[in-house]
Amino acid sequence: WSATSELLADELAPRFPGIAFVEVRYRVKTWKELPACMADAEAALELVRRRSLLVGFSMGGAVSIGVAAHEAASGVVGLAPWMPARLPLDGLRGKRLDVIHGAWDRALPGVPGVSAASSRRGFERARSLGVEGSYTLIGRGLHGAAVRGRAGGLIRLPRWRAWVEHV
């Protein structure tokens, strides 16, 4: 799991014991191979064969949006989602898109990030297609809720509780 996804699953699973949390592992994890990542997500939806709420962090937001047309997908929660202008949003029609983004998120040299302005533009593009949803900006929030420490454990970032509560 990404550190943010792991933290959210750890925090939310006890609150929702009837819900299964499933991670999609990409064969190749890079935005340069987004179609392959989407194929992996579609394959996972075929295996699960149940109504699924897709929760995608950063590039995973683009992947989730990219496979939202799948019949098992009920909607997408994008956590600091990467929503470039070239990403088709048609698959969101008839689904719900909820975006949660840290206000202080941005790419820095050597540090990944997605600007909140970028995800807001993507969200507004989806809204113009008639997609229902919400956009939540977490004040002083960074790119996600956690990072992985050198020993492999999770380091909770400032405002992590706000991420959990909004999801």
Side-chain angles (χ1 to χ4, degrees), residues 11 28 31 33 36 47 49 65-66 71 75 82 91 93-94 98 115-116 135 137 167:
E11 291 290 326
V28 179
W31 62 268
E33 296 292 335
L47 288 173
R49 296 185 164 274
I65 290 166
E71 63 186 19
W82 179 54
R93 289 179 194 227
D98 294 292
S115 77
Y135 187 93
L137 193 62
V167 171

Side-chain angles (χ1 to χ4, degrees), residues 51 68 73-75 89-96 129-132:
R51 292 291 282 168
S74 60
L89 305 179
D90 296 351
L92 289 167
R93 289 179 194 227
K95 311 285 172 104
R96 184 173 176 88
L129 296 174
V131 175
E132 298 285 326

Side-chain angles (χ1 to χ4, degrees), residues 13-89:
R15 297 183 194 186
F16 301 98
I19 295 176
F21 291 78
V22 178
E23 175 192 24
V24 173
R25 293 212 177 207
Y26 308 122
R27 288 168 288 170
V28 179
K29 184 180 177 181
T30 172
W31 62 268
K32 295 177 183 177
E33 296 292 335
L34 199 56
C37 296
M38 288 179 190
D40 292 340
E42 285 180 334
L45 285 168
E46 290 296 323
L47 288 173
V48 171
R49 296 185 164 274
R50 291 186 176 186
R51 292 291 282 168
S52 300
L53 176 62
L54 307 176
V55 181
F57 171 62
S58 196
M59 184 191 85
V63 171
S64 295
I65 290 166
V67 301
H70 192 282
E71 63 186 19
S74 60
V76 174
V77 176
L79 309 172
W82 179 54
M83 298 176 69
R86 67 182 178 273
L87 180 68
L89 305 179

